[in-house]
Amino acid sequence: MTAPQNWMRDTVLTGGRWEPRSTTTDVENPATGEIVGRAASATVADVNLAVAAAVAAGTDWGRTTGKQRSAALEELVAALRDRRDELVAATIAEVGAPITVAEEAHVDLAIEIIESFAVIARDTPLRERTGNSVLLRRPAGVVACITPWNYPLYQLAAKVGAALAAGCTTVLKPAELTPITTYLFCDAVLETSLPAGVVNLLPGSGTVLGPALTEHPDVAVVSFTGSTMVGRQVGRSAGELIKRACLELGGKSASVLLADADFEVAVPATVDAAMLNSGQTCSAWTRLLVPQERYDEAVTLASKRADALVVGDPNDRSTDLGPLVSHKQRLSVLAAVDGAIERGARVAAGGTDPIPGLDGHYVRATVLCDIKRGDPVTTEEIFGPVLVVEAYRDEDDAVALANATDYGLAGAVWSADAEAALEIAARLDTGQVDINGALFNPLAPFGGWKLSGLGRELGVIGFEEFTEWTSVQM
Ligand code: NAD
């Protein structure tokens, strides 16, 4: 594929104007190694410009009504819908996501989320009364939106949609590997009546721009999605400055199959969830927990499903798994699998062999079993297409095992009795639990316990992260 010219960018967006910069970074297609895009490498000086533009724009934008914010967000939805095909193509090109995943989980979901915030902006009162007080729900100020490479558009939508609905202004810092979708998002922003400076874009190095944004005195909220390691640094700096940091970090989520679950449904669904986006999904169910008497059956079903998944060209509609995002990510995933094998794990499907005919950063859909309890492969995030199968003795043991990780982002419970599943869900120390494959709900708060983060995204609760209260007694 020849990259469209408008994916070759050298600009930052500050105060509504694209400004050229002399240094750029290439964007690689992880399936082919081709250079498919280019982004400006913004500097600390650009952080000052962008934050100043966001502060200036905040004066008027922060005083808009919910209806006005809603109308602008609806315009953004329309502008994004108009370029849906290009957003999908860019997601395939920069992330390596298979087309069906790029359409549904990346682009359509992102647009749906912006739309949900248009509704929240319209319907959430900015003033409420309690007793002799008027409670003013006010915008928190300038929000730095720092996003990772695994779902670049979705992550952006969750942050920017909520921030704009709350009357905040924003500075976007996309991941180095995947800036194209964020450029296209900003193109859409510029087609709307959103005032100049409400959305600013600074592509470039996280280690340069991240601290400059986090530590900038005029940034009120840092909304960060990424690794727990970097999240700690963001949280530390924000804490020092007493500013809010919303941290959406890693996960190691369990899919718990109770003894009466329909394994023919639950096991393949768990494998599919673990492998979604080539396993580069923070909320992926990467652990399959089954009663010990049904362990062999679960391993057989899981490996059968993993073997049936098609790994290949992300532009092909029959592809289930594309490449991982980078060479580095591939090596890191292979090292995690090799380590588990050295410690005695058995490969039930997949493994670390290269896939003939595929030169990109591909890894096989892998299922590991016969792992010692507490082995790092069952507790640490791998962020690749790797599922581990673990046995539990009884339901108390299942809950203890599911909670035996430092993360707590997502999870699943499967049972013939949904109420019994709900009782187990209520004991899992995690931010989201799906029972029997229930659908993702973009209005439900999303975020983590423990090392999976602080705060929530999506829905009214996500919107609240970007507001401050002033209580006026009268
Ligand atoms: P990362 O932490 O390396 O980078 C995330 C973003 O932070 C990037 O834009 C990066 O440039 C920037 N950054 C780097 N150093 C920084 C610093 N010192 N200060 C501020 N920003 C800095 O993560 P990644 O490798 O891009 O993404 C993968 C990770 O993200 C995984 O661990 C995954 O679980 C996590 N993730 C979590 C969620 C969630 O909602 N909980 C969603 C997606 C991804």
Side-chain angles (χ1 to χ4, degrees):
M1 181 191 107
T2 313
Q5 198 50 38
N6 72 338
W7 294 0
M8 296 291 171
R9 303 287 183 106
D10 64 354
T11 48
V12 300
L13 178 67
T14 58
R17 279 191 310 275
W18 290 114
E19 303 281 358
R21 292 291 176 264
S22 52
T23 314
T24 56
T25 308
D26 286 344
V27 180
E28 183 204 70
N29 178 333
T32 63
E34 272 176 277
I35 300 304
V36 287
R38 188 161 297 138
S41 303
T43 62
V44 173
D46 291 322
V47 169
N48 294 331
L49 287 175
V51 174
V55 169
T59 309
D60 288 341
W61 180 249
R63 295 175 66 191
T64 46
T65 63
K67 271 194 179 152
Q68 289 168 321
R69 295 172 198 168
S70 176
L73 285 165
E74 287 292 0
E75 287 177 51
L76 181 56
V77 167
L80 289 168
R81 283 215 177 105
D82 282 350
R83 43 174 56 70
R84 177 192 186 252
D85 290 350
E86 189 177 9
L87 287 164
V88 169
T91 301
I92 297 168
E94 67 180 0
V95 181
I99 184 164
T100 51
V101 177
E103 286 172 344
E104 287 171 32
H106 288 256
V107 177
D108 292 346
L109 183 58
I111 297 172
E112 191 184 344
I113 284 169
I114 300 282
E115 196 156 34
S116 76
F117 284 115
V119 174
I120 288 168
R122 189 193 63 204
D123 294 348
T124 311
L126 300 182
R127 293 182 180 196
E128 290 175 32
R129 273 196 173 268
T130 179
N132 71 324
S133 302
V134 181
L135 309 184
L136 307 181
R137 188 183 253 125
R138 299 176 59 196
V142 176
V143 180
C145 303
I146 304 179
T147 44
W149 44 257
N150 59 336
Y151 287 89
L153 193 66
Y154 161 88
Q155 304 296 345
L156 197 63
K159 296 178 188 321
V160 179
L164 299 189
C168 295
T169 55
T170 58
V171 180
L172 320 185
K173 208 310 270 168
E176 293 87 324
L177 296 173
T178 56
I180 303 172
T181 36
T182 307
Y183 271 108
L184 300 179
F185 179 90
C186 289
D187 290 344
V189 165
L190 293 183
E191 276 175 16
T192 69
S193 60
L194 278 163
V198 168
V199 175
N200 303 278
L201 166 61
L202 301 181
S205 155
T207 48
V208 174
L209 304 175
L213 281 165
T214 307
E215 292 162 21
H216 197 295
D218 291 335
V219 169
V221 181
V222 184
S223 181
F224 171 86
T225 300
S227 61
T228 296
M229 191 185 76
V230 176
R232 267 186 222 281
Q233 295 171 28
V234 171
R236 203 177 292 132
S237 310
E240 188 65 37
L241 296 160
I242 322 289
K243 72 172 67 172
R244 199 179 298 172
C246 309
L247 305 174
E248 300 292 345
L249 310 176
K252 189 73 183 180
S253 301
S255 176
V256 182
L257 275 54
L258 302 185
D260 63 355
D262 183 346
F263 275 39
E264 298 281 343
V265 173
V267 174
T270 300
V271 172
D272 290 353
M275 308 302 168
L276 179 69
N277 211 37
S278 298
Q280 303 164 118
T281 304
C282 50
S283 54
W285 308 329
T286 50
R287 307 168 65 204
L288 174 60
L289 272 50
V290 296
Q292 58 195 12
E293 55 279 10
R294 298 191 72 177
Y295 187 77
D296 292 342
E297 177 192 355
V299 171
T300 303
L301 284 169
S303 44
K304 193 172 147 205
R305 182 61 164 209
D307 285 338
L309 294 173
V310 178
V311 185
D313 178 359
N315 284 294
D316 186 332
R317 286 201 171 268
S318 64
T319 294
D320 298 303
L321 272 80
L324 299 193
V325 75
S326 66
H327 176 64
K328 186 175 155 210
Q329 189 64 15
R330 178 172 185 271
L331 291 184
S332 149
V333 170
L334 295 180
V337 175
D338 278 335
I341 295 168
E342 276 163 28
R343 295 188 299 274
R346 180 165 69 82
V347 177
T352 53
D353 289 340
I355 305 173
L358 293 178
D359 294 333
H361 311 307
Y362 288 92
V363 173
R364 293 165 186 269
T366 298
V367 177
L368 299 175
C369 60
D370 303 348
I371 305 157
K372 287 192 203 79
R373 273 209 177 201
D375 186 281
V377 82
T378 66
T379 58
E380 292 174 8
E381 186 178 56
I382 297 174
F383 228 54
V386 183
L387 176 74
V388 295
V389 191
E390 300 171 71
Y392 64 80
R393 292 184 291 276
D394 53 30
E395 289 187 1
D396 286 344
D397 190 39
V399 169
L401 195 57
N403 287 337
T405 125
D406 290 334
Y407 294 109
L409 188 57
V413 184
W414 303 80
S415 169
D417 178 349
E419 289 303 319
L422 177 59
E423 292 314 311
I424 297 293
R427 297 169 64 194
L428 300 181
D429 297 340
T430 190
Q432 291 253 336
V433 183
D434 299 343
I435 291 176
N436 293 335
L439 287 179
F440 183 77
N441 176 1
L443 294 178
F446 182 96
W449 291 41
K450 304 188 276 184
L451 294 191
S452 290
L454 285 177
R456 292 291 182 270
E457 293 194 315
L458 307 184
V460 175
I461 293 172
F463 161 89
E464 298 283 5
E465 299 281 346
F466 301 102
T467 61
E468 284 282 9
W469 289 103
T470 300
S471 302
V472 182
Q473 286 61 244
M474 53 191 294

